[in-house]
Amino acid sequence: MVVVLSEKDREKIFDTLTDKQIRVIKRYVLDIVKSELLTKYFWKGINWDLVGLEYDPLFHKKLAERVSQPRLFCSACGKPLKNQYIVKSKQTGYIQELGSTCLADRAGIDIRIVKEIHNSRKRINLFQDEILSDYRNKERFPNRIYKDIIEINADRSWGPKFRSKILDFKGANLPLFHKDHNKLLKDLSNRRNELDEEEQFGHKDKVRNNTQEYIHLKRYINEIVRKDRSLNIIQKEETLSDALERITNINNSINDDFAVIPISKQKELAKQYIDPFNQKLSRIRKVK
C-alpha cells in the first residue's frame, strides 16, 4: 500500500526521531533516488556528475529549536535549502552544492533534466513516507524475526550491502521497507523448510546414526549461551548478539576476499582446498 503523508505530518514525525534514525532514513532513501537519477538522466555529454543528494526534513523548524541537524545551503547563492543537489565538474573536479534554480543557472544543466531532478522529491517522499508512517503506528525493527534468521543461518545468502542496510535499521530500531521485511520472512521460511527436509530425509553427509545431528556454528553457540545459568536474560541476549555479529562479519570478510579472485582461480582453489576441507569438517562437526 502506498502511503502519502502531508508535509506537516512528515515534519511532525521527523521531530520525534533521533539524529541516528534520521541519518539512516536519509541514507537509504537518497541512495534509491540517486541511483534512479544517475541511471536515467546523467549520460555522456553533460559536464557534471551528480555525486550526492541531500534534503532537510526539518526545513521549516526554527533554528533555535533544532538540536544538531544542520541546515543546508546553496554554495552559489547562499540560500537555505530543503533539497540540495551535489554536482562535480568532470573537467576540473570542482564540487557545487546547489538548489534546483542554481542547478540550471550556475551549472548549466539542461532545464529538462533539472526538472526531473527536482521532481525526485516525490520519490524521496514516497520511500520515506512508508518508514515514517510505520514508525508513527508504533512499528519498529523486527528483532524477533532477525534473531530467528541468525539462529538458523537463514542470512547466508545476504550480500554485504543488504546486510549493512539491515544492521543499520536494526541499530536505529526503525521499521524496514516492506520489500526488505518480506525478504526476511521469505529467507526465514525457506531456511526452515530446508531444515525440515534435512530432518525428515537426512543430510547427504549425515552418518546413519539417529543420535547424531549436524549443527551449524551459530546454532551451537546459541544453545550454549541459552543454557548458561550464570547469565541473566539481558546478558544472554547481548552475548549472543555480539557473538553472532562477529561470526557474520568474519564470514562476510572471507566472502569479500574470495570474490576478488578470478572465477577460474576460485574453482581451482575450491576443488583443491575448500571441497576437501568441507568434507572433513562435515565429519567432525557431527555431535551428539
Side-chain angles (χ1 to χ4, degrees):
M1 181 179 69
V2 177
V3 179
V4 179
L5 298 174
S6 68
E7 191 67 26
K8 185 177 180 180
D9 286 340
R10 204 173 283 132
E11 188 167 315
K12 188 181 296 184
I13 299 171
F14 266 117
D15 204 26
T16 67
L17 302 178
T18 65
D19 285 346
K20 181 177 182 179
Q21 290 173 324
I22 293 176
R23 284 197 302 271
V24 170
I25 291 176
K26 286 175 63 176
R27 175 185 174 187
Y28 288 100
V29 168
L30 292 176
D31 275 355
I32 296 172
V33 176
K34 178 183 172 184
S35 177
E36 292 182 357
L37 288 173
L38 288 172
T39 302
K40 294 173 67 176
Y41 302 111
F42 277 69
W43 55 76
K44 292 181 178 179
I46 296 178
N47 294 324
W48 295 88
D49 280 328
L50 180 67
V51 296
L53 292 172
E54 272 291 348
Y55 72 94
D56 184 355
L58 303 174
F59 179 72
H60 299 292
K61 196 175 182 64
K62 293 180 180 179
L63 189 60
E65 297 175 352
R66 299 162 69 101
V67 181
S68 61
Q69 283 291 318
R71 282 193 183 279
L72 303 174
F73 294 93
C74 178
S75 61
C77 67
K79 291 182 179 179
L81 301 173
K82 180 173 179 62
N83 296 276
Q84 184 186 73
Y85 309 97
I86 306 168
V87 293
K88 179 179 180 181
S89 170
K90 292 181 179 179
Q91 297 176 339
T92 66
Y94 178 62
I95 292 177
Q96 295 195 75
E97 300 167 339
L98 307 172
S100 57
T101 301
C102 288
L103 195 62
D105 295 343
R106 304 297 180 94
I109 296 176
D110 187 283
I111 190 65
R112 176 175 58 89
I113 298 177
V114 171
K115 288 181 179 179
E116 293 291 351
I117 296 174
H118 188 61
N119 287 336
S120 66
R121 293 178 303 170
K122 297 177 183 178
R123 301 291 289 164
I124 289 173
N125 290 340
L126 180 65
F127 286 112
Q128 74 179 7
D129 284 356
E130 178 184 340
I131 303 297
L132 295 178
S133 178
D134 287 344
Y135 189 88
R136 182 178 60 180
N137 293 332
K138 308 299 182 184
E139 292 189 37
R140 297 295 185 266
F141 183 81
N143 281 298
R144 183 64 264 171
I145 295 175
Y146 179 77
K147 288 179 181 178
D148 289 346
I149 285 174
I150 296 300
E151 287 176 3
I152 62 173
N153 201 31
D155 61 329
R156 56 186 179 174
S157 64
W158 294 1
K161 188 174 181 179
F162 181 76
R163 190 181 304 280
S164 293
K165 178 198 285 190
I166 297 301
L167 291 177
D168 281 345
F169 274 79
K170 180 179 184 297
N173 197 23
L174 287 169
L176 294 169
F177 293 107
H178 72 278
K179 290 184 178 179
D180 296 329
H181 191 275
N182 290 341
K183 175 173 171 55
L184 262 62
L185 292 175
K186 183 178 179 180
D187 290 346
L188 181 60
S189 176
N190 289 342
R191 181 59 181 151
R192 281 173 171 167
N193 289 337
E194 286 180 8
L195 294 174
D196 288 343
E197 290 179 2
E198 288 180 11
E199 184 176 348
Q200 182 177 358
F201 300 108
H203 191 278
K204 63 180 181 180
D205 294 326
K206 183 183 288 186
V207 296
R208 297 179 180 179
N209 186 338
N210 293 331
T211 64
Q212 293 186 327
E213 181 184 13
Y214 181 89
I215 299 181
H216 286 280
L217 180 58
K218 291 182 180 180
R219 292 168 59 194
Y220 181 65
I221 290 178
N222 177 68
E223 184 177 349
I224 292 176
V225 174
R226 298 292 184 194
K227 291 180 179 180
D228 191 341
R229 295 186 179 181
S230 66
L231 303 175
N232 59 40
I233 295 178
I234 296 178
Q235 290 173 325
K236 287 181 179 181
E237 293 297 332
E238 291 177 347
T239 302
L240 186 60
S241 176
D242 181 64
L244 297 183
E245 188 169 337
R246 288 173 183 271
I247 292 173
T248 298
N249 291 337
I250 292 171
N251 286 339
N252 286 341
S253 177
I254 294 173
N255 289 335
D256 290 344
D257 290 341
F258 193 70
V260 301
I261 300 174
I263 295 179
S264 59
K265 189 65 176 178
Q266 288 182 22
K267 293 179 179 179
E268 180 183 334
L269 290 172
K271 184 176 180 181
Q272 188 172 358
Y273 298 106
I274 298 176
D275 291 345
F277 175 78
N278 283 336
Q279 292 173 5
K280 292 181 180 179
L281 194 60
S282 66
R283 290 196 291 270
I284 64 176
R285 287 199 302 190
K286 295 180 176 70
V287 299
K288 293 184 178 180

